[in-house]
């Protein structure tokens, strides 16, 4: 069983003995993270980063996905009906 932690500078995947797995390939802060279909997604981040990365716990690797059209920090994210939705503070 894996536990996912979204911290201010990185998203880590830990197993139950809290051994650190692979770190994201893009260092950032103020990102959003969600889990969907057994994978974790690290979304956006500091200074308008548009990067979207997917962590696969089976392979223990991060894969960069297509960049978002609009980047942002202080993002929020949620999963609804199998889709990831992001939102950001406007003020």
């Amino acid at each position: 069983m894996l536990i996912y932690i979204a911290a201010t500078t990185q998203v880590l995947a830990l197993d139950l003995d809290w051994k650190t797995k692979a770190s994201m390939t893009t260092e950032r802060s103020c990102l959003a993270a969600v889990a969907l279909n057994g994978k974790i997604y690290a979304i956006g981040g500091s200074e308008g980063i548009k990067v979207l990365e997917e962590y696969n716990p089976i392979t223990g690797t991060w894969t960069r996905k297509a960049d978002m059209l609009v980047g942002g920090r202080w993002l929020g994210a949620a999963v609804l009906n199998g889709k990831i939705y992001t939102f950001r503070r406007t003020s």
Side-chain angles (χ1 to χ4, degrees):
M1 177 177 201
L2 291 175
I3 297 172
Y4 300 107
I5 298 174
T8 57
T9 57
Q10 61 185 335
V11 176
L12 300 174
L14 306 174
D15 63 21
L16 286 181
D17 65 4
W18 287 89
K19 178 181 174 188
T20 301
K21 301 293 184 182
S23 294
M24 293 183 301
T25 59
T26 304
E27 186 174 323
R28 52 206 151 145
S29 61
C30 308
L31 67 147
V34 295
L36 176 63
N37 297 326
K39 296 178 182 170
I40 189 167
Y41 294 85
I43 306 162
S46 56
E47 306 307 321
I49 291 176
K50 298 179 182 180
V51 175
L52 171 63
E53 291 179 279
E54 174 191 81
Y55 178 74
N56 183 330
I58 294 173
T59 63
T61 58
W62 286 93
T63 303
R64 187 165 176 174
K65 299 302 204 177
D67 286 353
M68 298 183 299
L69 296 176
V70 177
R73 63 182 183 166
W74 302 112
L75 290 174
V79 174
L80 180 63
N81 296 325
K83 294 184 179 182
I84 298 171
Y85 293 88
T86 62
F87 50 94
R88 64 183 173 145
R89 185 175 69 189
T90 58
S91 60

Coordinates of all heavy atoms in Angstrom, one line a residue:
M1 N 0.8 -1.2 0.0 CA 0.0 0.0 0.0 C 0.9 1.2 0.0 O 1.8 1.3 0.8 CB -0.9 0.0 1.2 CG -1.7 1.2 1.3 SD -2.8 1.0 2.8 CE -4.0 2.2 2.3
L2 N 0.6 2.2 -0.9 CA 1.3 3.4 -1.0 C 0.6 4.6 -0.4 O -0.7 4.6 -0.4 CB 1.7 3.8 -2.4 CG 2.6 2.8 -3.1 CD1 2.7 3.2 -4.6 CD2 4.0 2.9 -2.5
I3 N 1.3 5.5 0.2 CA 0.7 6.8 0.7 C 1.3 7.9 -0.1 O 2.5 8.0 -0.4 CB 1.1 6.9 2.2 CG1 0.4 5.8 3.0 CG2 0.6 8.3 2.7 CD1 0.9 5.8 4.4
Y4 N 0.5 8.8 -0.6 CA 1.0 10.0 -1.4 C 0.9 11.2 -0.5 O 0.0 11.5 0.1 CB 0.1 10.1 -2.6 CG 0.1 8.9 -3.5 CD1 -1.0 8.1 -3.6 CD2 1.2 8.6 -4.3 CE1 -1.0 7.0 -4.4 CE2 1.2 7.5 -5.1 CZ 0.1 6.7 -5.2 OH 0.1 5.6 -6.0
I5 N 2.0 12.0 -0.6 CA 2.1 13.2 0.2 C 2.4 14.4 -0.8 O 3.4 14.3 -1.5 CB 3.2 13.1 1.2 CG1 2.9 12.0 2.2 CG2 3.4 14.5 1.9 CD1 4.0 11.7 3.2
A6 N 1.6 15.4 -0.7 CA 1.9 16.6 -1.5 C 2.4 17.6 -0.5 O 1.8 18.1 0.4 CB 0.6 17.1 -2.2
A7 N 3.7 18.0 -0.7 CA 4.3 19.0 0.1 C 4.5 20.3 -0.7 O 4.1 20.3 -1.8 CB 5.7 18.4 0.6
T8 N 5.0 21.3 0.0 CA 5.1 22.6 -0.7 C 6.1 22.5 -1.9 O 6.0 23.3 -2.8 CB 5.4 23.7 0.2 OG1 6.7 23.4 0.9 CG2 4.3 23.9 1.2
T9 N 7.1 21.7 -1.8 CA 8.1 21.7 -2.9 C 8.1 20.4 -3.7 O 8.8 20.4 -4.8 CB 9.5 21.9 -2.3 OG1 9.8 20.9 -1.4 CG2 9.6 23.3 -1.7
Q10 N 7.4 19.4 -3.3 CA 7.5 18.2 -4.1 C 6.4 17.2 -3.7 O 5.8 17.4 -2.6 CB 8.8 17.5 -4.0 CG 9.2 17.0 -2.6 CD 10.6 16.5 -2.5 OE1 11.1 16.0 -3.5 NE2 11.2 16.5 -1.4
V11 N 6.1 16.3 -4.6 CA 5.1 15.2 -4.2 C 5.9 14.0 -4.1 O 6.7 13.6 -5.0 CB 4.0 15.1 -5.3 CG1 3.1 13.9 -5.0 CG2 3.2 16.4 -5.4
L12 N 5.8 13.2 -3.0 CA 6.5 12.0 -2.8 C 5.5 10.9 -2.7 O 4.4 11.0 -2.2 CB 7.3 12.1 -1.5 CG 8.3 13.2 -1.3 CD1 8.9 13.2 0.1 CD2 9.4 13.0 -2.3
A13 N 6.0 9.7 -3.1 CA 5.2 8.5 -2.9 C 6.0 7.7 -1.9 O 7.2 7.4 -2.0 CB 5.1 7.7 -4.2
L14 N 5.3 7.2 -0.8 CA 6.0 6.5 0.2 C 5.3 5.2 0.4 O 4.1 5.1 0.3 CB 5.9 7.3 1.5 CG 6.4 8.7 1.5 CD1 6.1 9.3 2.9 CD2 7.9 8.7 1.3
D15 N 6.0 4.1 0.7 CA 5.4 2.9 1.1 C 5.2 2.9 2.6 O 5.6 3.8 3.3 CB 6.1 1.6 0.5 CG 7.5 1.5 1.1 OD1 7.8 2.0 2.2 OD2 8.3 0.8 0.5
L16 N 4.5 1.8 3.1 CA 4.2 1.9 4.5 C 5.4 1.9 5.5 O 5.2 2.3 6.6 CB 3.3 0.7 4.9 CG 1.8 0.9 4.3 CD1 1.0 -0.3 4.7 CD2 1.2 2.1 4.8
D17 N 6.5 1.5 5.1 CA 7.7 1.7 6.0 C 8.4 3.0 5.8 O 9.4 3.3 6.3 CB 8.7 0.5 5.8 CG 9.3 0.4 4.5 OD1 9.1 1.3 3.7 OD2 10.1 -0.5 4.3
W18 N 7.7 4.0 5.0 CA 8.0 5.4 4.8 C 9.3 5.6 4.1 O 10.0 6.5 4.2 CB 7.9 6.2 6.1 CG 6.6 6.4 6.4 CD1 5.9 5.4 7.2 CD2 5.7 7.3 6.1 NE1 4.7 5.7 7.4 CE2 4.6 7.1 6.6 CE3 5.5 8.3 5.5 CZ2 3.5 7.8 6.5 CZ3 4.4 9.0 5.4 CH2 3.5 8.7 6.0
K19 N 9.7 4.5 3.2 CA 10.9 4.5 2.3 C 10.5 5.4 1.2 O 9.5 5.2 0.5 CB 11.2 3.1 1.8 CG 12.4 3.1 0.9 CD 12.6 1.7 0.4 CE 13.6 1.6 -0.7 NZ 13.7 0.3 -1.3
T20 N 11.3 6.5 0.9 CA 11.0 7.4 -0.2 C 11.2 6.8 -1.6 O 12.1 6.1 -1.8 CB 12.0 8.6 -0.1 OG1 11.8 9.2 1.2 CG2 11.7 9.7 -1.2
K21 N 10.2 7.1 -2.4 CA 10.2 6.6 -3.8 C 10.7 7.8 -4.6 O 11.2 8.8 -4.1 CB 8.8 6.2 -4.2 CG 8.2 5.1 -3.4 CD 9.0 3.8 -3.6 CE 8.3 2.6 -2.9 NZ 9.0 1.4 -3.0
A22 N 10.5 7.7 -5.9 CA 11.0 8.7 -6.9 C 10.4 10.1 -6.6 O 9.2 10.2 -6.4 CB 10.7 8.3 -8.3
S23 N 11.2 11.1 -6.7 CA 10.7 12.5 -6.6 C 10.3 13.0 -8.0 O 10.7 12.4 -9.0 CB 11.9 13.4 -6.1 OG 12.2 13.1 -4.8
M24 N 9.5 14.0 -8.0 CA 9.1 14.6 -9.3 C 10.3 15.0 -10.1 O 11.3 15.3 -9.5 CB 8.2 15.8 -9.1 CG 6.9 15.5 -8.5 SD 5.9 17.0 -8.4 CE 6.9 18.0 -7.3
T25 N 10.1 15.1 -11.4 CA 11.3 15.6 -12.2 C 11.3 17.1 -12.3 O 12.3 17.7 -12.6 CB 11.2 15.0 -13.6 OG1 9.9 15.4 -14.2 CG2 11.2 13.5 -13.6
T26 N 10.2 17.8 -12.0 CA 10.2 19.3 -11.9 C 10.0 19.7 -10.5 O 8.9 19.5 -9.9 CB 9.0 19.8 -12.8 OG1 9.1 19.2 -14.1 CG2 9.0 21.3 -12.9
E27 N 11.0 20.5 -10.0 CA 10.8 21.0 -8.6 C 10.0 22.2 -8.7 O 10.1 23.1 -9.6 CB 12.2 21.4 -8.1 CG 12.2 21.8 -6.7 CD 13.6 22.0 -6.1 OE1 14.5 21.3 -6.4 OE2 13.7 23.0 -5.3
R28 N 9.0 22.3 -7.7 CA 8.1 23.5 -7.7 C 7.4 23.5 -6.4 O 7.5 22.6 -5.6 CB 7.1 23.4 -8.8 CG 6.4 22.0 -8.8 CD 5.9 21.7 -10.2 NE 5.8 20.3 -10.4 CZ 4.9 19.7 -11.2 NH1 4.0 20.5 -11.7 NH2 4.9 18.4 -11.4
S29 N 6.8 24.7 -6.1 CA 6.0 24.8 -4.9 C 4.6 25.3 -5.3 O 4.3 25.6 -6.5 CB 6.6 25.9 -4.0 OG 6.7 27.1 -4.6
C30 N 3.7 25.3 -4.4 CA 2.3 25.8 -4.6 C 1.6 25.0 -5.7 O 0.8 25.6 -6.5 CB 2.3 27.3 -4.9 SG 3.2 28.3 -3.8
L31 N 1.8 23.7 -5.7 CA 1.1 22.9 -6.8 C -0.1 22.2 -6.2 O -0.4 22.3 -5.0 CB 2.1 21.8 -7.2 CG 2.5 20.7 -6.2 CD1 2.7 19.4 -6.9 CD2 3.7 21.2 -5.4
A32 N -0.8 21.6 -7.1 CA -2.0 20.8 -6.7 C -1.6 19.3 -7.0 O -0.8 19.0 -7.9 CB -3.2 21.2 -7.5
A33 N -2.2 18.4 -6.3 CA -2.0 17.0 -6.5 C -3.3 16.2 -6.3 O -4.1 16.5 -5.4 CB -0.9 16.4 -5.6
V34 N -3.6 15.2 -7.2 CA -4.7 14.3 -7.0 C -4.3 12.9 -7.4 O -3.3 12.7 -8.1 CB -5.9 14.8 -7.9 CG1 -6.4 16.1 -7.5 CG2 -5.5 14.7 -9.4
A35 N -5.1 12.0 -6.9 CA -4.9 10.5 -7.3 C -6.1 10.1 -8.2 O -7.2 10.5 -7.9 CB -4.9 9.7 -6.1
L36 N -5.8 9.4 -9.3 CA -6.8 8.9 -10.2 C -6.4 7.6 -10.8 O -5.2 7.6 -11.3 CB -7.1 10.0 -11.3 CG -8.0 9.6 -12.4 CD1 -9.5 9.4 -11.8 CD2 -8.1 10.7 -13.5
N37 N -7.2 6.6 -10.8 CA -6.9 5.3 -11.4 C -5.6 4.8 -11.0 O -4.8 4.2 -11.8 CB -7.0 5.5 -13.0 CG -8.3 5.8 -13.5 OD1 -9.4 5.5 -12.9 ND2 -8.4 6.6 -14.5
G38 N -5.3 4.9 -9.7 CA -4.1 4.3 -9.2 C -2.8 5.1 -9.5 O -1.7 4.6 -9.2
K39 N -2.9 6.3 -10.0 CA -1.7 7.1 -10.3 C -1.9 8.5 -9.6 O -3.0 8.8 -9.2 CB -1.6 7.3 -11.8 CG -1.3 6.0 -12.4 CD -1.1 6.1 -13.9 CE -0.9 4.7 -14.5 NZ -1.0 4.8 -16.0
I40 N -0.8 9.1 -9.4 CA -0.9 10.5 -8.8 C -0.5 11.5 -9.8 O 0.4 11.3 -10.6 CB 0.0 10.6 -7.5 CG1 -0.3 11.9 -6.7 CG2 1.4 10.4 -7.8 CD1 0.3 11.9 -5.3
Y41 N -1.1 12.6 -9.8 CA -0.8 13.7 -10.7 C -0.4 14.9 -10.0 O -1.1 15.4 -9.0 CB -2.1 14.0 -11.6 CG -2.4 12.8 -12.4 CD1 -3.2 11.8 -12.0 CD2 -1.9 12.8 -13.7 CE1 -3.5 10.7 -12.8 CE2 -2.2 11.7 -14.5 CZ -3.0 10.6 -14.0 OH -3.3 9.6 -14.8
A42 N 0.7 15.5 -10.3 CA 1.3 16.8 -9.8 C 1.0 17.8 -10.8 O 1.4 17.7 -12.0 CB 2.8 16.6 -9.5
I43 N 0.3 18.9 -10.4 CA -0.2 19.8 -11.4 C 0.2 21.2 -11.1 O 0.0 21.7 -10.0 CB -1.8 19.8 -11.3 CG1 -2.3 18.3 -11.5 CG2 -2.4 20.7 -12.4 CD1 -3.7 18.1 -11.1
G44 N 0.8 21.9 -12.1 CA 1.1 23.3 -12.0 C 2.2 23.6 -10.9 O 3.0 22.8 -10.6
G45 N 2.1 24.8 -10.4 CA 3.1 25.2 -9.4 C 3.6 26.6 -9.5 O 3.0 27.4 -10.2
S46 N 4.6 26.9 -8.7 CA 5.1 28.2 -8.6 C 5.4 28.9 -9.9 O 5.8 28.3 -10.9 CB 6.4 28.2 -7.7 OG 7.3 27.3 -8.3
E47 N 5.2 30.2 -9.8 CA 5.5 31.1 -10.9 C 4.9 30.7 -12.2 O 5.5 30.8 -13.3 CB 7.0 31.3 -11.1 CG 7.8 31.7 -9.8 CD 7.2 33.0 -9.2 OE1 6.8 33.9 -9.9 OE2 7.1 33.0 -8.0
G48 N 3.7 30.2 -12.2 CA 2.9 29.9 -13.4 C 3.4 28.7 -14.2 O 3.2 28.5 -15.4
I49 N 4.0 27.7 -13.5 CA 4.4 26.5 -14.2 C 3.2 25.7 -14.7 O 2.2 25.6 -14.1 CB 5.2 25.6 -13.2 CG1 6.5 26.2 -12.8 CG2 5.4 24.2 -13.7 CD1 7.3 25.5 -11.8
K50 N 3.4 25.3 -16.0 CA 2.3 24.6 -16.7 C 2.5 23.1 -16.7 O 1.7 22.4 -17.3 CB 2.3 25.1 -18.2 CG 1.9 26.5 -18.3 CD 2.0 26.9 -19.8 CE 1.7 28.4 -19.9 NZ 1.7 28.8 -21.3
V51 N 3.5 22.6 -16.0 CA 3.8 21.2 -16.0 C 2.8 20.3 -15.3 O 2.3 20.6 -14.3 CB 5.2 21.0 -15.4 CG1 5.6 19.5 -15.3 CG2 6.3 21.7 -16.1
L52 N 2.5 19.2 -16.0 CA 1.7 18.1 -15.4 C 2.5 16.8 -15.4 O 3.0 16.4 -16.5 CB 0.4 17.9 -16.3 CG -0.5 16.7 -15.9 CD1 -1.0 16.8 -14.5 CD2 -1.6 16.6 -17.0
E53 N 2.6 16.2 -14.3 CA 3.4 14.9 -14.2 C 2.5 13.9 -13.6 O 1.7 14.1 -12.7 CB 4.7 15.1 -13.4 CG 5.7 16.0 -14.0 CD 6.9 16.2 -13.1 OE1 6.9 17.0 -12.2 OE2 7.9 15.5 -13.4
E54 N 2.8 12.6 -14.0 CA 2.0 11.5 -13.5 C 3.0 10.5 -12.9 O 4.0 10.1 -13.5 CB 1.3 10.8 -14.7 CG 0.6 9.5 -14.4 CD 0.2 8.8 -15.7 OE1 1.1 8.1 -16.3 OE2 -1.0 8.9 -16.0
Y55 N 2.6 10.0 -11.7 CA 3.5 9.0 -11.0 C 2.7 7.7 -11.1 O 1.6 7.6 -10.7 CB 3.7 9.4 -9.5 CG 4.5 8.4 -8.8 CD1 5.8 8.3 -9.0 CD2 3.9 7.5 -7.9 CE1 6.6 7.3 -8.3 CE2 4.6 6.5 -7.2 CZ 6.0 6.4 -7.5 OH 6.7 5.5 -6.8
N56 N 3.5 6.7 -11.5 CA 3.0 5.3 -11.6 C 3.6 4.5 -10.5 O 4.8 4.2 -10.5 CB 3.3 4.7 -12.9 CG 2.7 3.3 -13.1 OD1 2.6 2.6 -12.2 ND2 2.4 3.0 -14.4
P57 N 2.9 4.1 -9.4 CA 3.4 3.4 -8.3 C 3.9 2.0 -8.7 O 4.8 1.4 -8.0 CB 2.3 3.3 -7.3 CG 1.1 3.5 -8.1 CD 1.4 4.4 -9.2
I58 N 3.4 1.4 -9.8 CA 3.9 0.1 -10.2 C 5.3 0.1 -10.7 O 6.1 -0.7 -10.4 CB 2.9 -0.5 -11.2 CG1 1.5 -0.8 -10.5 CG2 3.4 -1.8 -11.8 CD1 0.4 -1.2 -11.4
T59 N 5.6 1.1 -11.6 CA 6.9 1.3 -12.1 C 7.8 2.1 -11.3 O 9.0 2.1 -11.5 CB 6.8 1.8 -13.6 OG1 6.3 3.2 -13.5 CG2 6.0 1.0 -14.5
G60 N 7.2 2.9 -10.4 CA 8.0 3.8 -9.6 C 8.6 5.0 -10.3 O 9.6 5.5 -10.0
T61 N 7.9 5.4 -11.4 CA 8.5 6.5 -12.2 C 7.4 7.6 -12.4 O 6.2 7.4 -12.4 CB 8.8 6.0 -13.6 OG1 7.7 5.4 -14.2 CG2 10.0 4.9 -13.5
W62 N 8.0 8.8 -12.7 CA 7.2 10.0 -13.0 C 7.3 10.2 -14.6 O 8.4 10.0 -15.1 CB 7.8 11.2 -12.4 CG 7.5 11.3 -10.9 CD1 8.3 10.9 -9.9 CD2 6.3 11.9 -10.3 NE1 7.7 11.2 -8.7 CE2 6.5 11.8 -8.9 CE3 5.2 12.5 -10.8 CZ2 5.5 12.2 -8.0 CZ3 4.2 12.9 -9.9 CH2 4.4 12.8 -8.5
T63 N 6.2 10.5 -15.2 CA 6.1 10.8 -16.6 C 5.5 12.2 -16.8 O 4.5 12.5 -16.3 CB 5.2 9.8 -17.3 OG1 5.7 8.5 -17.1 CG2 5.2 10.0 -18.8
R64 N 6.2 13.0 -17.6 CA 5.7 14.3 -17.9 C 4.6 14.2 -19.0 O 4.8 13.5 -20.0 CB 6.8 15.2 -18.4 CG 6.3 16.7 -18.6 CD 7.4 17.6 -18.7 NE 6.9 19.0 -18.9 CZ 7.6 20.0 -19.0 NH1 8.9 20.0 -18.8 NH2 7.1 21.2 -19.2
K65 N 3.4 14.7 -18.7 CA 2.3 14.7 -19.7 C 2.3 16.1 -20.4 O 3.1 16.9 -20.2 CB 1.0 14.5 -18.9 CG 1.0 13.2 -18.2 CD 1.2 12.1 -19.1 CE 0.6 10.8 -18.7 NZ 0.7 9.7 -19.6
A66 N 1.3 16.2 -21.3 CA 1.2 17.5 -22.0 C 1.0 18.7 -21.1 O 0.3 18.5 -20.1 CB 0.1 17.4 -23.0
D67 N 1.7 19.7 -21.3 CA 1.6 20.9 -20.5 C 0.2 21.4 -20.5 O -0.5 21.3 -21.5 CB 2.6 22.0 -20.9 CG 4.0 21.7 -20.5 OD1 4.3 20.8 -19.8 OD2 4.9 22.5 -21.0
M68 N -0.2 22.1 -19.4 CA -1.5 22.7 -19.4 C -1.5 24.0 -20.2 O -0.4 24.5 -20.5 CB -1.9 23.1 -17.9 CG -2.0 21.9 -17.0 SD -2.5 22.4 -15.3 CE -1.1 23.5 -14.8
L69 N -2.6 24.4 -20.7 CA -2.6 25.7 -21.5 C -2.3 26.9 -20.6 O -1.7 27.8 -21.1 CB -4.0 25.8 -22.1 CG -4.4 24.8 -23.1 CD1 -5.9 25.0 -23.6 CD2 -3.5 24.7 -24.3
V70 N -2.8 26.9 -19.4 CA -2.5 28.0 -18.5 C -1.9 27.4 -17.2 O -2.4 26.5 -16.6 CB -3.8 28.7 -18.1 CG1 -3.6 29.9 -17.1 CG2 -4.5 29.3 -19.4
G71 N -0.8 28.0 -16.8 CA -0.1 27.5 -15.6 C -0.6 28.3 -14.4 O -1.5 29.2 -14.5
G72 N -0.2 27.9 -13.3 CA -0.6 28.7 -12.1 C 0.0 28.1 -10.8 O 0.3 26.9 -10.8
R73 N 0.0 28.9 -9.8 CA 0.4 28.5 -8.5 C -0.9 28.7 -7.6 O -1.8 29.3 -8.0 CB 1.6 29.2 -7.9 CG 1.4 30.7 -7.7 CD 2.6 31.3 -7.2 NE 2.4 32.7 -7.0 CZ 3.3 33.4 -6.3 NH1 4.3 32.9 -5.8 NH2 3.0 34.7 -6.1
W74 N -0.8 28.1 -6.5 CA -2.0 28.0 -5.5 C -3.2 27.4 -6.2 O -4.3 27.9 -6.1 CB -2.3 29.4 -5.0 CG -1.2 30.1 -4.3 CD1 -0.5 31.2 -4.7 CD2 -0.5 29.7 -3.1 NE1 0.5 31.4 -3.9 CE2 0.5 30.6 -2.8 CE3 -0.8 28.6 -2.2 CZ2 1.3 30.4 -1.7 CZ3 0.0 28.5 -1.1 CH2 1.1 29.4 -0.8
L75 N -2.9 26.4 -7.0 CA -4.0 25.7 -7.7 C -4.7 24.8 -6.7 O -4.1 24.3 -5.7 CB -3.4 24.8 -8.8 CG -2.9 25.5 -10.0 CD1 -2.3 24.5 -11.0 CD2 -4.0 26.2 -10.8
G76 N -5.9 24.5 -7.0 CA -6.7 23.5 -6.4 C -7.0 22.4 -7.4 O -7.1 22.8 -8.6
A77 N -7.3 21.2 -7.1 CA -7.6 20.2 -8.0 C -8.5 19.2 -7.4 O -8.5 18.9 -6.2 CB -6.4 19.5 -8.6
A78 N -9.4 18.6 -8.2 CA -10.3 17.6 -7.7 C -10.6 16.6 -8.9 O -10.4 16.9 -10.0 CB -11.6 18.2 -7.3
V79 N -11.0 15.4 -8.5 CA -11.4 14.4 -9.5 C -12.9 14.2 -9.4 O -13.5 14.1 -8.3 CB -10.7 13.0 -9.2 CG1 -11.2 12.0 -10.1 CG2 -9.2 13.2 -9.3
L80 N -13.6 14.3 -10.5 CA -15.0 14.1 -10.6 C -15.3 13.3 -11.9 O -14.9 13.6 -13.0 CB -15.7 15.5 -10.7 CG -17.2 15.4 -10.8 CD1 -17.8 14.8 -9.5 CD2 -17.8 16.8 -11.0
N81 N -16.0 12.2 -11.7 CA -16.4 11.3 -12.8 C -15.2 10.9 -13.7 O -15.3 11.0 -14.9 CB -17.5 12.0 -13.7 CG -18.8 12.2 -12.9 OD1 -19.1 11.3 -12.1 ND2 -19.5 13.2 -13.1
G82 N -14.1 10.6 -13.1 CA -12.9 10.1 -13.8 C -12.1 11.2 -14.5 O -11.2 10.9 -15.3
K83 N -12.4 12.5 -14.2 CA -11.6 13.6 -14.9 C -11.0 14.5 -13.8 O -11.6 14.6 -12.7 CB -12.5 14.4 -15.8 CG -13.0 13.6 -17.0 CD -13.8 14.5 -17.9 CE -14.3 13.7 -19.1 NZ -15.1 14.6 -20.0
I84 N -9.9 15.1 -14.1 CA -9.2 16.0 -13.2 C -9.6 17.4 -13.6 O -9.6 17.8 -14.7 CB -7.7 15.9 -13.3 CG1 -7.3 14.5 -12.9 CG2 -7.0 16.9 -12.4 CD1 -5.8 14.2 -13.1
Y85 N -10.1 18.1 -12.6 CA -10.5 19.5 -12.7 C -9.5 20.4 -11.9 O -9.3 20.0 -10.7 CB -11.9 19.8 -12.3 CG -12.9 19.1 -13.2 CD1 -13.3 17.8 -13.0 CD2 -13.4 19.8 -14.4 CE1 -14.2 17.2 -13.9 CE2 -14.3 19.1 -15.2 CZ -14.7 17.8 -14.9 OH -15.6 17.2 -15.8
T86 N -9.0 21.5 -12.4 CA -8.2 22.4 -11.6 C -8.9 23.7 -11.6 O -9.7 24.1 -12.4 CB -6.8 22.6 -12.3 OG1 -6.9 23.1 -13.5 CG2 -6.1 21.2 -12.3
F87 N -8.5 24.5 -10.5 CA -9.0 25.8 -10.3 C -8.0 26.6 -9.6 O -7.1 26.0 -8.9 CB -10.4 25.8 -9.6 CG -10.3 25.0 -8.3 CD1 -10.1 25.6 -7.1 CD2 -10.6 23.6 -8.3 CE1 -10.0 24.9 -5.9 CE2 -10.5 22.9 -7.1 CZ -10.3 23.5 -5.9
R88 N -8.0 27.9 -9.8 CA -7.0 28.7 -9.1 C -7.7 30.0 -8.5 O -8.7 30.4 -9.0 CB -5.8 29.1 -9.9 CG -6.1 29.9 -11.1 CD -4.9 30.1 -11.9 NE -5.3 30.8 -13.2 CZ -4.5 31.7 -13.7 NH1 -3.3 32.0 -13.3 NH2 -4.9 32.2 -14.8
R89 N -7.1 30.5 -7.5 CA -7.5 31.7 -6.9 C -7.3 32.8 -7.8 O -6.3 33.0 -8.5 CB -6.7 31.9 -5.6 CG -7.2 33.0 -4.8 CD -6.4 33.1 -3.5 NE -5.0 33.5 -3.8 CZ -4.1 33.5 -2.9 NH1 -4.3 33.1 -1.7 NH2 -2.9 33.9 -3.2
T90 N -8.3 33.7 -7.9 CA -8.2 34.8 -8.9 C -7.8 36.1 -8.2 O -7.5 37.1 -8.9 CB -9.6 35.0 -9.6 OG1 -10.6 35.3 -8.6 CG2 -10.0 33.8 -10.4
S91 N -7.8 36.2 -6.9 CA -7.3 37.4 -6.3 C -6.3 37.1 -5.2 O -6.1 36.0 -4.8 CB -8.5 38.2 -5.7 OG -9.2 37.4 -4.8

